[in-house]
Amino acid sequence: MFGVILSSLVCGLVPYLVIRALWCHFYPKRHHLQGKHVLVTGGSSGIGLSVARQVALLGAKVTLVARNVERLQKAKEEVESACTKLEGDSSSRVQIFSVDLAGRRENIDTAIKEAEASQGPVYMLVNCAGFSRAQVFEDIPQSLVKELIDVNLMGSFTVTQEVVRGMKQRGEGGVVVFTSSQGGLVGLYGFTAYSAAKGAVVKLAEALHMELKPHGITVTVCYPPDTQTPGFEEENKTKPVETRLISEAAGLFTSDQVAKKLVDDALQGNFISTVGFEGFMLTTLCAGMGPVTDSLSLLSQMFLTGLFRLISAFYLWSFSNIVRREHEKKITAGSRTKVFPGVFWTQACRQE
């Protein structure tokens, strides 16, 4: 009897979800940004700058927040030039604030208040400020761990707390975006501290989504793969070879590719935003008890999780082989450094 009831539910539920997914795909409900204020942290370069250009083209007024004043000024000029074809003075659409998001809370709060006084209340917040460093676990200094958590987690926490407070008071809805990483879904060699920080961002977003839903405020988490940005170039300078070889499996994307998908997903109210097959597979596998915001993602999670788990086993096997091979190379190299000095010394004695 139970099996019959379950089968009936499944047979009725699946067509409904398919129809709903197709309807939402072709006739999506979207947030509109024309004349609205979008605040982007980490907006001086990389994904943040690309997001700023995207939302400016949609008619938004943009605030860029970062530390480096010179980069901020250059970014402001880029965003202004991107929206020169729009009506109105493009220079009045973009403003910049130099703030250290890992610094004093008062400075962050003041910058947000000044930004809203100039451009109006923040309707969309995009947390892109962050950085990555990959090192072997025992070599990571405590100061780096603290910085990774302060910038990637606490910076987003603090800015979002201040912005959300105003959104809830106004009661006009809004959009909050967090930038995690595919490294926030799967722990990889060299990313012990970074994965911990980015994984925490995911759980922050999941809990906040539940709190903000009754207020009409949507939450989106972006999971970028390796992305061609100045930050990625800096990260590669010290990245262990194992980490580099493993992360290359997901390919390299441009910041514009990631930003376009981020903005599209956020405006549709989707909780998950990612690019590439590996990103789709990871977010499907790791959905767990995460928010359900679109039927297409739910269908994927229902019917593809088993297949993706099998595929992921091959990925993990490949990653393990990379780590093993590099470990063997180090052992071999270490043995040579121990043997060679003695060999050279023996040869020198024989020559004498």
Side-chain angles (χ1 to χ4, degrees):
M1 182 67 180
F2 177 76
V4 173
I5 296 174
L6 183 62
S7 299
S8 300
L9 285 173
V10 171
C11 290
L13 180 63
V14 171
Y16 164 75
L17 289 173
V18 171
I19 294 171
R20 181 179 171 83
L22 291 172
W23 178 268
C24 292
H25 177 74
F26 290 107
Y27 304 99
K29 288 181 65 178
R30 293 173 63 91
H31 296 272
H32 295 284
L33 296 180
Q34 182 65 44
K36 294 182 178 177
H37 184 188
V38 178
L39 189 148
V40 184
T41 69
S44 62
S45 63
I47 296 172
L49 176 54
S50 292
V51 167
R53 285 196 295 259
Q54 291 281 339
V55 297
L57 288 171
L58 295 175
K61 295 177 286 187
V62 182
T63 295
L64 303 176
V65 177
R67 288 182 297 181
N68 189 292
V69 177
E70 291 182 6
R71 289 181 183 173
L72 274 170
Q73 187 58 48
K74 184 178 178 182
K76 181 177 185 292
E77 293 169 2
E78 285 189 36
V79 177
E80 287 172 350
S81 67
C83 56
T84 50
K85 295 181 181 179
L86 298 177
E87 294 181 3
D89 182 10
S90 62
S91 63
S92 65
R93 292 177 175 270
V94 188
Q95 62 181 353
I96 58 176
F97 287 88
S98 174
V99 183
D100 182 3
L101 298 183
R104 295 167 61 94
R105 171 72 185 248
E106 309 88 84
N107 296 339
I108 298 171
D109 292 351
T110 299
I112 294 171
K113 287 183 174 64
E114 290 180 3
E116 291 191 317
S118 175
Q119 300 281 43
V122 174
Y123 181 78
M124 180 175 180
L125 168 65
V126 185
N127 291 291
C128 283
F131 78 104
S132 171
R133 289 293 181 273
Q135 284 183 258
V136 177
F137 178 67
E138 62 271 21
D139 292 340
I140 304 175
Q142 288 292 306
S143 58
L144 177 57
V145 177
K146 184 178 185 303
E147 188 179 6
L148 282 165
I149 292 173
D150 284 347
V151 176
N152 291 296
L153 174 62
M154 292 309 301
S156 296
F157 189 102
T158 304
V159 174
T160 303
Q161 198 171 45
E162 183 63 25
V163 170
V164 160
R165 185 178 287 111
M167 285 181 174
K168 291 173 74 172
Q169 289 173 352
R170 290 187 294 273
E172 298 173 356
V175 183
V176 176
V177 181
F178 294 96
T179 304
S180 180
S181 166
Q182 291 185 9
L185 292 175
V186 56
L188 297 177
Y189 187 106
F191 279 145
T192 47
Y194 178 70
S195 289
K198 286 300 190 180
V201 170
V202 177
K203 295 308 168 186
L204 162 63
E206 289 180 355
L208 187 61
H209 175 274
M210 191 176 290
E211 288 190 25
L212 298 183
K213 189 175 181 179
H215 300 273
I217 304 169
T218 61
V219 176
T220 298
V221 184
C222 177
Y223 299 94
D226 282 350
T227 307
Q228 191 64 57
T229 64
F232 179 68
E233 293 173 4
E234 186 66 27
E235 172 192 333
N236 278 341
K237 293 178 181 178
T238 58
K239 184 181 286 182
V241 63
E242 295 92 340
T243 311
R244 179 176 56 78
L245 292 172
I246 290 171
S247 60
E248 285 175 354
L252 184 64
F253 290 78
T254 67
S255 59
D256 286 341
Q257 287 174 303
V258 175
K260 186 177 187 308
K261 189 68 164 58
L262 181 158
V263 173
D264 285 345
D265 286 322
L267 295 184
Q268 290 183 39
N270 296 337
F271 182 74
I272 294 170
S273 179
T274 191
V275 294
F277 171 75
E278 285 77 8
F280 174 58
M281 181 177 71
L282 270 176
T283 52
T284 300
L285 276 173
C286 300
M289 288 289 288
V292 178
T293 55
D294 67 288
S295 301
L296 193 58
S297 293
L298 180 58
L299 283 169
S300 301
Q301 293 154 17
M302 288 171 60
F303 295 106
L304 295 177
T305 298
L307 174 62
F308 282 171
R309 181 53 180 159
L310 180 61
I311 295 173
S312 74
F314 285 97
Y315 273 87
L316 293 170
W317 173 78
S318 173
F319 298 162
S320 295
N321 278 341
I322 289 171
V323 174
R324 177 182 54 78
R325 285 197 304 269
E326 294 305 317
H327 180 65
E328 290 172 353
K329 288 180 184 178
K330 292 173 186 175
I331 291 176
T332 303
S335 299
R336 285 173 180 169
T337 57
K338 291 178 181 178
V339 172
F340 283 176
V343 172
F344 294 151
W345 180 83
T346 303
Q347 291 174 345
C349 289
R350 286 175 180 170
Q351 287 174 358
E352 291 178 355

